[in-house]
Amino acid sequence: MPESLQQFFEARRQSVRKAREFATRVLDGWGLTSRTEDIRLCVSELATNAVLHGTARGHGFLVRLDIDDNCVRLEVHDSRRQQPVVREPTATDISGRGLTLVAALSDEWGVRDRTPLGKIIWSCFKTADDATQSMSPPVPNHYDRPLEVR
């Protein structure tokens, strides 16, 4: 059964922490543990972008979380239509990795216009209940390959 919760935040740096705490409370309330850290990090990155780049003077931002049978959808609504740009920062850059992290941690993400103004940056995280995950076989990685015997 789909469920949705949202909260509005002022465009202040302290709101990033509050947005992350909101997401933690919501995810805990839903009993979700499998993707919590990925979602929390994406909330931090998108809320930071909203505060620094996405809110017009006098406007804040909204964080919305939706859950259905197999997906959590995160949305961050802000008041500027300016489309975000995924950057390729150098090793010495101290910023510019937020959307790269969102793309890496989420299963899907995108941007759409918001009416009457602004945009929505969204990301989806496929989930499975903990019982199902613990019963499924581990995903193989390069360390699971058998050694060649010569």
Side-chain angles (χ1 to χ4, degrees):
M1 176 176 191
E3 189 172 345
S4 178
L5 292 167
Q6 63 186 28
Q7 186 170 333
F8 181 81
F9 299 92
E10 294 179 18
R12 300 182 342 192
R13 290 183 187 264
Q14 301 90 322
S15 295
V16 174
R17 177 182 47 79
K18 291 178 181 181
R20 193 172 47 248
E21 290 169 352
F22 163 73
T24 301
R25 284 191 311 276
V26 170
L27 297 170
D28 286 349
W30 288 338
L32 183 70
T33 58
S34 60
R35 301 289 305 268
T36 299
E37 289 308 312
D38 292 345
I39 297 167
R40 281 173 36 90
L41 182 54
C42 289
V43 167
S44 288
E45 295 300 331
L46 295 178
T48 298
N49 284 353
V51 169
L52 297 178
H53 311 292
T55 52
R57 174 175 240 131
H59 293 267
F61 66 96
L62 179 101
V63 174
R64 177 182 172 138
L65 291 162
D66 299 296
I67 190 168
D68 64 20
D69 294 335
N70 62 355
C71 182
V72 170
R73 180 180 172 100
L74 162 65
E75 294 181 353
V76 175
H77 300 228
D78 65 36
S79 56
R80 288 202 172 135
R81 288 258 167 133
Q82 181 182 353
Q83 296 291 304
V85 177
V86 178
R87 295 207 225 137
E88 293 185 28
T90 66
T92 58
D93 287 341
I94 59 171
S95 65
R97 292 173 179 80
L99 292 177
T100 302
L101 286 170
V102 171
L105 295 174
S106 65
D107 295 298
E108 200 175 350
W109 77 279
V111 182
R112 65 183 174 97
D113 286 342
R114 182 173 182 260
T115 304
L117 61 104
K119 67 184 167 299
I120 300 168
I121 302 179
W122 59 269
S123 53
C124 290
F125 303 84
K126 293 178 185 171
T127 61
D129 65 36
D130 293 336
T132 304
Q133 281 192 354
S134 64
M135 293 172 59
S136 60
V139 176
N141 60 45
H142 68 279
Y143 296 111
D144 293 331
R145 292 187 202 133
L147 294 172
E148 284 187 35
V149 180
R150 295 182 185 205

